[in-house]
Structure formats: C-alpha cells, structure tokens
Amino acid sequence: MVLLVEAPNELAKWKYAAALEAREAGEKEKAYELLEQARQRSAHNLEYKQVLAEWKHEDREYAEALAIVQELCEIFTDNTDLIGFRSRLYQHLQRHPEAIADLQKIMQISEATGQPERALSLNNLAYGQAIAKTDLDAAFEHSNEAVKLAEADLASAANQLKRAQEKKKDVLESEAAVANKRFTVAGHLDTRGLVRLYRDEAADAQSDFDQAISLAEQTLKFSRAFEKEPRNQQRPKAGASLRQKQVDETLAVLYYHRSLNLQKLGREDEAKRDFAKAKELLGREPDETLF
C-alpha cells in the first residue's frame, strides 16, 4: 500500500529532475513538458509551480509568470521571496505602483521580523523607486543607508578574515564570506548610482558605478579561483551553468547602467564599450527591462 501511495510522488521527482537537466541543457520545450508531467503526478507540490513561474520569468513571459505567482502569494501571504518575485514581474509589466507597494510591504515585514535584512529591503525598495522614476529623494535616502549598512558588513567580514589568517583556520571560508559581502556592496552601489543618474547627478553616479563594477569583478575573480580549489573538486556541478548565467546577468546590469551614465556625461566611446560588454554577457541587446 505504501508503494502504491508513494509511486506517483517518486515518479514526479524523477520527472522534475529530468526537467531541470533538460532546462540546463537548453532544451526548453522538453523541460516544460517534463515539469508539467511532474506537476500532474504531484499536484500538491507547490515547488513545481514556483519553478514554472521562474522559467516563465526567464523566458520573458511575464504575464504568465505573474498569474502563477499571484496564486502562490494567496497561499503564502507573508512570504517575502514570493512578494519580491511578484514585484519584479510588476516592474517588467510597467505596473510600478503595485511593484512599489509590494516592496513597501517587504520593508514592513523586515522592520517587524528582521527578515529580510534591512539593507536588502532598503536597496530593493530604492531600486523599485528608481525604475519607476518616482520619489527619488526617498529612494536616495534608502539606497544611501543600504550602502552604508552593506559596507559595514563588508568591513566586519574583512576583520573576520584577518583573524582567520592569523589563526590559519577557516581562511577559505572567510575569504568566501568577504567575496559575498563585496558583491552585495556592488549591488547596493549600483542602485544608488541609478538613483543618482535619474536625479541628474551623473558625476556622483559614475563614482558609484565604477566602484560597483570593480567590486563585482573582484568577486568574480575570487569565485573562479575558489571553484578550482582542490577541496571543491568533488562538489556536485549540477546547476553550475545556471549560476554562471545569474552572475553574468548581474554584471550585465552594472555595465548597462554605467553605459547610460557615460552617455549622459558625453563619454560616448566608453558608453559603447560598456554597452557592448553588457550585450556580450547577456547574449542579447540590453534594455530597460534588464533588472
């Protein structure tokens, strides 16, 4: 009897794993078919529905993704990951007031529970306001505080690394922590730079974008070296190409934003180089849908 009950779920898991492999291999149609088969065999598994929404988002089918996420948000009303996902879909669909309302809700949850951390919530709200080009004074205050908080976290991680080096213990882990914090600072600087760009403060924005790209490139350099560490060679590589795609897209955003600012400064040749770099990382022309 147990086997009869569990068989559909086990088959669903197999179909789901096969769908992920197909997706990573670039076989999108096959991946969608396998994921649908998994969903039919395990309709109660909401993870499959969320993955479907993520794929629709990646494939720029934003309205379909939003419909799925709306259903999930009605079940998990205070899930900040889902609310944040919905806000990004609203942004893609140019529904900015609804996007900002979601980001404000996340900010309220953060203030009440401490999760997500304040810097991230502030940064995301500022970014949403910048994309909407609304309430830019408040957006600057939010982004500026987020940068300061992230920089403090980075300084703390750097101190921890120094202690680890002195003790010759957990050095690699501490280096990884510094790299992660560095990448976070880069993202928050990018947001503040975008806000400054839209506030017609191009010189200050350029400083933010330059720092952001420098920090992001340092993190990428460390990440590549970290992957080659002997102790990491036995780690599962599944999903590695997807993670690289996410890193490339993040860097593309930074280069694209800086190209816009360089244009505003009249530095056309540099702007074209940054735009070309963003295009290379993305595999397509960057535009304002790039968040």
Side-chain angles (χ1 to χ4, degrees):
M1 179 63 75
V2 171
L3 289 175
L4 289 173
V5 171
E6 289 299 323
N9 290 332
E10 289 303 313
L11 184 55
K13 291 177 184 177
W14 182 87
K15 293 286 187 182
Y16 176 55
L20 295 179
E21 290 180 4
R23 180 77 179 183
E24 188 167 353
E27 300 174 336
K28 290 185 179 181
E29 185 175 341
K30 180 180 178 181
Y32 276 121
E33 290 175 0
L34 288 166
L35 182 59
E36 182 58 29
Q37 291 172 22
R39 292 178 63 217
Q40 289 175 358
R41 287 170 171 80
S42 187
H44 65 281
N45 193 322
L46 297 178
E47 179 185 0
Y48 300 161
K49 181 173 283 191
Q50 183 169 346
V51 169
L52 178 60
E54 290 168 357
W55 289 359
K56 292 293 185 182
H57 173 233
E58 290 173 8
D59 295 338
R60 307 178 80 177
E61 297 176 17
Y62 303 127
E64 292 184 36
L66 179 60
I68 298 167
V69 174
Q70 289 279 32
E71 292 180 20
L72 292 171
C73 284
E74 290 174 6
I75 300 171
F76 305 102
T77 55
D78 289 329
N79 186 302
T80 54
D81 288 335
L82 286 172
I83 297 170
F85 189 5
R86 185 172 64 183
S87 76
R88 291 194 300 276
L89 293 168
Y90 280 141
Q91 288 168 347
H92 283 300
L93 294 167
Q94 303 295 308
R95 294 167 62 173
H96 295 298
E98 291 157 294
I100 291 173
D102 271 351
L103 293 168
Q104 289 172 331
K105 181 176 181 179
I106 292 173
M107 191 73 241
Q108 292 169 355
I109 294 172
S110 173
E111 290 173 346
T113 67
Q115 294 296 327
E117 63 181 27
R118 181 171 177 80
L120 179 60
S121 300
L122 284 166
N123 176 76
N124 290 345
L125 177 55
Y127 197 81
Q129 291 168 322
I131 293 296
K133 298 183 178 67
T134 186
D135 206 0
L136 293 177
D137 289 342
F140 178 76
E141 291 180 8
H142 296 149
S143 62
N144 197 46
E145 183 180 349
V147 168
K148 291 179 179 178
L149 290 170
E151 288 176 336
D153 283 346
L154 174 57
S156 177
N159 287 333
Q160 179 62 41
L161 171 58
K162 185 178 179 181
R163 290 191 292 271
Q165 290 170 331
E166 291 170 351
K167 295 178 181 179
K168 298 181 179 180
K169 183 179 179 181
D170 299 329
V171 174
L172 189 61
E173 291 77 4
S174 296
E175 287 177 340
V178 168
N180 287 332
K181 296 297 184 182
R182 191 183 291 130
F183 202 66
T184 299
V185 173
H188 293 358
L189 283 167
D190 174 67
T191 297
R192 191 173 70 182
L194 192 64
V195 173
R196 282 173 157 166
L197 169 61
Y198 293 143
R199 279 161 56 98
D200 294 322
E201 299 168 356
D204 289 334
Q206 188 63 31
S207 176
D208 280 342
F209 291 136
D210 287 344
Q211 290 181 66
I213 289 175
S214 176
L215 289 170
E217 292 287 3
Q218 288 177 51
T219 303
L220 182 59
K221 182 179 179 180
F222 169 81
S223 179
R224 287 170 177 162
F226 183 74
E227 287 294 324
K228 295 177 182 178
E229 275 289 321
R231 75 171 73 181
N232 293 322
Q233 293 306 300
Q234 301 303 315
R235 293 184 307 151
K237 297 300 181 183
S241 64
L242 292 178
R243 289 193 297 273
Q244 185 60 50
K245 180 181 177 183
Q246 292 168 348
V247 171
D248 288 347
E249 287 181 352
T250 300
L251 282 171
V253 170
L254 302 184
Y255 278 108
Y256 174 61
H257 286 164
R258 191 170 70 173
S259 76
L260 296 177
N261 199 68
L262 286 165
Q263 278 185 319
K264 193 159 192 174
L265 290 169
R267 295 160 59 178
E268 293 294 335
D269 289 343
E270 294 170 272
K272 289 178 181 177
R273 283 197 292 270
D274 272 3
F275 187 87
K277 182 66 174 178
K279 181 179 179 180
E280 177 188 348
L281 289 165
L282 274 181
R284 65 174 177 86
E285 291 265 331
D287 53 37
E288 289 192 355
T289 65
L290 182 62
F291 300 133

